[in-house]
Amino acid sequence: MKAFTVRIRFHGDLNIFLPRKASDAVIERRLAEKTSIKDVIESCGVPHPEVDLILIDEQPVGFDHPLANDAKVEVFSVRNRDTASTEKHLQTTDSSSFVVDVHLGGLTRNLRLLGFDVAYNQNADDRQLLELMIRENRALLTRDRRLLMHAIVQHGYCPRSQNATEQTIEVVRRFDLSESITPFTRCLRCNAPLQGASKTEVIDKLEPLTKAYYDQFRRCPGCKQIYWSGSHFPKLEKRIEEIRSRVRDKP
Ligand SMILES: [Zn+2]
């Protein structure tokens, strides 16, 4: 087979995955055998769950599109999506349940605080994370791009920031979650949906001051943790409001 050249331009913030020398976000690959566009894109460092649209000669193609001749390719992220376009998108934005890798504990807590279903297990290895992702049809959140490139990953996202609040804002935007936020409905420790509990049901578990000052409680049916709007509550409400308002003012 005659060697051929594929020239790929990465749009939006996909350039963060590219080698530093690709400052104009264009990479050229010289290939000598038929290769899928997905493999060529991932060989540049960009995980496939980050890719929402691939155009070759202005025509949208799927991940399995084979390359065998010279081609100019344009690659777009979900963030580039023009809501008016009817092009063939490769990602959905409607995941609302997640599995999160062990390094993203702060993000996990914030997403649960907003009411989202987030599986997190400090002792799970990569294989167990991927199994849970498939079994429960969850989107994978990880900063490990090798893990995100695993062939069985359908939906996923690599948080750009190292800061948990920024990561949360990114995930809410990426999966279009702003209308689905239901704060204080999920256990921050174990992810179970919380249930209302009357004071008499929980009274023997409460400290004296809590007993005296609070009347409304929620209880986790999983780990039995009791929640009430105590002294930590204004701080959490402030965090939720910050996330909401930042999501509203799109960059
Ligand atoms: Zn719990």
Side-chain angles (χ1 to χ4, degrees):
M1 187 172 187
K2 194 165 149 273
F4 57 97
T5 304
V6 179
R7 190 168 190 274
I8 311 179
R9 180 183 295 278
F10 291 91
H11 292 262
D13 68 349
L14 291 180
N15 62 359
I16 62 157
F17 297 105
L18 302 179
R20 205 162 294 165
K21 57 184 183 295
S23 53
D24 60 353
V26 174
I27 292 193
E28 276 193 7
R29 283 272 184 273
R30 189 96 181 125
L31 299 170
E33 58 183 29
K34 190 154 115 177
T35 311
S36 76
I37 183 65
K38 179 184 173 196
D39 287 348
V40 180
I41 288 172
E42 291 203 321
S43 78
C44 302
V46 180
H48 67 274
E50 293 284 345
V51 173
D52 187 42
L53 179 67
I54 306 167
L55 299 178
I56 298 181
D57 299 328
E58 299 181 15
Q59 292 303 309
V61 298
F63 283 124
D64 54 0
H65 182 85
L67 294 167
N69 297 299
D70 290 355
K72 281 192 178 156
V73 184
E74 309 281 332
V75 180
F76 300 85
S77 73
V78 175
R79 228 175 136 166
N80 297 127
R81 190 181 288 193
D82 171 1
T83 46
S85 91
T86 54
E87 270 154 339
K88 184 185 166 197
H89 295 288
L90 299 168
Q91 304 301 328
T92 63
T93 57
D94 60 1
S95 294
S96 59
S97 65
F98 303 96
V99 57
V100 173
D101 93 12
V102 63
H103 303 291
L104 299 175
L107 171 63
T108 301
R109 215 178 138 78
N110 279 347
L111 288 173
R112 287 177 180 168
L113 180 65
L114 299 176
F116 297 111
D117 176 1
V118 182
Y120 175 83
N121 177 352
Q122 263 185 318
N123 304 313
D125 60 22
D126 288 352
R127 187 181 53 83
Q128 290 167 319
L129 278 184
L130 294 175
E131 277 172 7
L132 181 66
M133 173 195 75
I134 293 292
R135 193 169 62 243
E136 300 185 356
N137 191 25
R138 293 172 179 273
L140 175 64
L141 304 178
T142 178
R143 281 176 50 83
D144 176 350
R145 71 169 87 169
R146 290 279 145 206
L147 186 59
L148 212 49
M149 283 183 193
H150 200 291
I152 63 170
V153 178
Q154 275 209 316
H155 308 300
Y157 177 75
C158 171
R160 276 53 166 164
S161 176
Q162 311 239 25
N163 170 281
T165 303
E166 297 298 326
Q167 291 170 346
T168 310
I169 293 162
E170 288 179 32
V171 171
V172 172
R173 285 182 181 145
R174 162 66 182 81
F175 294 95
D176 203 6
L177 298 171
S178 58
E179 301 295 316
S180 314
I181 293 172
T182 51
F184 307 111
T185 55
R186 197 169 282 275
C187 182
L188 302 184
R189 298 208 311 194
C190 79
N191 194 44
L194 298 180
Q195 295 174 342
S198 68
K199 193 169 185 174
T200 47
E201 286 175 278
V202 298
I203 198 154
D204 55 341
K205 307 258 185 352
L206 303 176
E207 301 290 329
L209 281 175
T210 311
K211 249 183 238 182
Y213 289 107
Y214 298 96
D215 294 309
Q216 298 215 321
F217 299 90
R218 285 183 172 182
R219 185 169 49 181
C220 173
C223 71
K224 311 300 176 198
Q225 174 85 356
I226 297 163
Y227 291 86
W228 66 94
S229 44
S231 55
H232 57 290
F233 195 73
K235 202 174 128 205
L236 295 179
E237 279 189 312
K238 200 167 152 234
R239 191 184 311 164
I240 293 165
E241 195 36 54
E242 186 197 346
I243 292 167
R244 277 188 147 142
S245 72
R246 290 275 311 284
V247 169
R248 275 195 300 266
D249 334 321
K250 291 216 166 164

